[in-house]
Amino acid sequence: MSDIPVHSKPLVESTATGELLIGGQRLTRLVERAGRTPFYAYDRRLIRSRVAELRETLPAGTKLHYAMKANPFVPLVCFMSQLVDGIDVASAGELNVALNAGADPAEVSFAGPGKSEAELSQAVASGVLINVESQRELRLLASVADRLGIAPRVALRVNPGFELKGSGMKMGGGPKQFGIDEEDIPEALADIRALGLAFEGFHLFAGSQNLRADAVCEAQRQAFALARRLAVHAPAPVRVLNLGGGFGIPYFPGERPLALGPIGENLTQIREQCLREMPEAIMVVELGRYLVGEAGVYVARVVDRKVSRDQIFLITDGGLNHHLSASGNFGQVIRKNFPVAINGKASGQRETVSVVGPLCTPLDLLADRVELPAADIGDLFVVFQSGAYGASASPQAFLGHPPCAELLV
Ligand SMILES: *Cc1c(COP(=O)(O)O)cnc(C)c1O
């Protein structure tokens, strides 16, 4: 299967006929299990091995959190809650899913701007750590604390002065809606002391989808140095030091997997410093797509084949309503093709095709002029690297087609 990028190889063991094996099962059989197309399938084995690799590389004692906005499929969150040390949520809805999935509230943290009083009350009553993003949230938390008689556990989300260079999405540095600017943190810490909230530490999340180990390392060092400077003003020792994540996965031709080794070495050095200078602090790394993105595929069936002015179109029953990311409309600046394949075509004629969905919009493009084995109506079209920001990040109601199925294999 020459279409499959090297990094997807473990996912796509294929039989002699080119039939894909997902979680060790033939794709055609998985379709029967799903009962319909399109669907997403997530491979537990791949997630487990990804987590094992991280555990081996990160310094002992570093906590590994799953940022569940990457994939909030409930069975997957249940699985993750047994596998990692904590779950990061970004809404009260996600908080409920994480707690119902069995996550320990002591190891759940809640970030996100604009938390409502109701959300904050839910978080305080649940006993989770709240990553505070504004002065307003601090004041609301003080009144929630009075009403419930519970001291809220708080960390401050810091909007640092630095950026995570080379990130697909920047979420810190410069003016941002996330966190509290680092220059305003001393004042927020004084407020925490005055309001009697239970201070636990800092949360620094600078960016997402980064494939440059050197950039990730630099941001982690800067985050640690900043936390150390800010800790001087804190009303209590730092116990939680969430250094963010931003570990990316390769989606497009020419992209190389992130080198984990240097990040492990860097974090080991930071941890040694941390043990000396903030001995009560536990370091946390929060990852979304790096844990689950490469473990998922999206599968749709070819339902029509058309030639328009010499260009071949494969029309599938899937589309941007299920997989906005693959259509290039979820934050990409320049549209590029995700890695894709046609199931069960190891050899034979190849052709250049565009793969689309049934929606009445030209945006509904899953692969633009890619070379694939010649496909017929009824064949299965597969998009790799689809385990994160898939079903939940797509406008499923748009145009009224049925929602996709999801399977954990
Ligand atoms: C989105 C988000 C993540 C996860 O990002 P990935 O790119 O999926 O790893 C982690 N932390 C915070 C605060 C986020 O907003």
Side-chain angles (χ1 to χ4, degrees), residues 65-71 88-90 110-113 131 133 157 169 171 178 203-210 242 244-249 251 285-293 388-389:
H65 278 201
Y66 174 52
M68 67 170 274
K69 84 167 189 281
N71 189 332
D88 292 329
V89 304
F110 181 10
N131 292 329
E133 312 238 359
R157 180 167 183 184
M169 273 187 212
M171 293 179 70
F178 307 110
H203 175 218
L204 289 115
F205 183 78
S208 194
Q209 181 47 23
N210 203 303
N242 185 332
F247 298 13
I249 61 172
Y251 288 101
V285 174
E286 56 174 13
L287 303 176
R289 80 184 76 218
Y290 193 76
L291 296 179
V292 297
Y389 305 105

Side-chain angles (χ1 to χ4, degrees), residues 215-402:
V216 171
C217 290
E218 188 191 332
Q220 288 172 338
R221 284 194 299 271
Q222 286 178 306
F224 177 75
L226 176 57
R228 207 180 42 176
R229 288 198 302 278
L230 296 173
V232 174
H233 305 275
V238 173
R239 291 174 44 208
V240 178
L241 182 53
N242 185 332
L243 293 172
F247 298 13
I249 61 172
Y251 288 101
F252 308 120
E255 289 187 340
R256 313 245 350 119
L258 179 69
L260 217 46
I263 295 176
E265 284 164 30
N266 189 59
L267 280 175
T268 301
Q269 285 173 16
I270 294 176
R271 179 166 158 75
E272 282 162 14
Q273 220 181 330
C274 190
L275 283 170
R276 286 195 304 273
E277 294 165 8
M278 282 189 263
E280 290 174 62
I282 288 178
M283 293 180 358
V284 178
V285 174
E286 56 174 13
L287 303 176
R289 80 184 76 218
Y290 193 76
L291 296 179
V292 297
E294 292 181 89
V297 291
Y298 175 68
V299 181
R301 198 181 287 282
V302 177
V303 295
D304 205 348
R305 184 189 155 93
K306 290 166 72 167
V307 180
S308 168
R309 312 229 152 89
D310 292 335
Q311 194 176 335
I312 303 168
F313 288 89
L314 300 178
I315 300 169
T316 69
D317 56 4
L320 77 74
N321 50 325
H322 305 144
H323 203 331
L324 192 65
S325 296
S327 79
N329 293 293
F330 190 67
Q332 293 96 322
V333 180
I334 301 166
R335 192 195 175 286
K336 292 180 188 154
N337 291 316
F338 272 47
V340 296
I342 301 290
N343 187 51
K345 304 266 161 123
S347 55
Q349 198 196 328
R350 299 175 68 83
E351 59 188 17
T352 298
V353 296
S354 290
V355 185
V356 302
L359 307 189
C360 277
T361 162
L363 299 178
D364 193 15
L365 183 59
L366 292 172
D368 186 22
R369 285 160 294 173
V370 287
E371 201 199 281
L372 286 173
D376 302 314
I377 292 174
D379 281 342
L380 296 169
F381 169 74
V382 178
V383 184
F384 300 101
Q385 308 298 78
S386 295
Y389 305 105
S392 74
S394 303
Q396 298 230 29
F398 186 40
L399 270 130
H401 290 279

